[in-house]
Amino acid sequence: MKNLKVFACLTAVVFTGMTVASCGSSTGAPNPSQTSPTPSSECAQFVAGAPCEKYTSTAGSDDGTPISWVTAGEVTAQLSKRGSDTYLTVVMPCGPLDAVVTINDKIMRITGQRALGASGCIENLGERQGWVLKFLEGSVELGYSNNTLTWTNGKDSLSFVTS
């Protein structure tokens, strides 16, 4: 029994020493070798004449049939330039997508790296995110009229206004 008490005391002392050592003094400044520079980002336009801003969904259709869930602003979109690349950032019901795109003659295509974040989905939100991701596959035609940005892919569409 005496050995057990000694072991418990030694364990407590070692644990306390390790905790104090790992919490040593800090200036609060990050270690330069542990940080990486983030490329500067500047806003980019979807099409000429469209404001260079973040857009929020207001309407959409799936195979020509209106879908109501996008009217509540469930999808946001913004373009940015980072170096020589153009990035599309889309925030959907279950998380964001950040992807390199090219836009030629009002046609947007995901052409490079993509990062898909996950925030977790409840109920049918995963289906909504899946619909947006499928919509963005291939060629998306861009339009801007009456303060509304439109994306069209076949019989599917999304409409946005600035946030």
Side-chain angles (χ1 to χ4, degrees):
M1 186 69 141
K2 187 176 184 179
N3 286 340
L4 186 58
K5 286 182 182 179
V6 170
F7 177 74
C9 288
L10 282 175
T11 303
V13 168
V14 169
F15 178 74
T16 303
M18 288 173 46
T19 303
V20 170
S22 68
C23 296
S25 66
S26 172
T27 62
N31 180 345
S33 66
Q34 294 176 342
T35 59
S36 59
T38 54
S40 63
S41 175
E42 60 185 65
C43 191
Q45 288 179 297
F46 282 99
V47 293
C52 188
E53 295 184 31
K54 181 178 173 181
Y55 287 82
T56 302
S57 64
T58 58
S61 66
D62 181 9
D63 199 25
T65 303
I67 46 178
S68 61
W69 59 267
V70 294
T71 60
E74 288 286 322
V75 180
T76 63
Q78 187 168 16
L79 277 184
S80 61
K81 283 287 227 188
R82 297 180 215 155
S84 62
D85 292 325
T86 302
Y87 281 81
L88 171 66
T89 302
V90 178
V91 179
M92 300 166 285
C94 296
L97 167 72
D98 197 45
V100 176
V101 296
T102 57
I103 298 175
N104 292 314
D105 298 324
K106 296 185 181 182
I107 301 294
M108 178 174 67
R109 291 183 181 88
I110 295 177
T111 55
Q113 296 180 355
R114 10 180 143 194
L116 182 61
S119 301
C121 291
I122 57 172
E123 298 177 14
N124 61 353
L125 295 180
E127 292 173 15
R128 294 175 181 181
Q129 178 166 334
W131 185 90
V132 174
L133 293 172
K134 185 169 172 44
F135 176 87
L136 290 170
E137 291 177 4
S139 301
V140 176
E141 185 180 343
L142 305 174
Y144 185 77
S145 178
N146 297 322
N147 298 319
T148 301
L149 174 68
T150 55
W151 293 358
T152 306
N153 189 343
K155 292 184 178 180
D156 301 336
S157 67
L158 284 171
S159 297
F160 300 89
V161 295
T162 56
S163 300

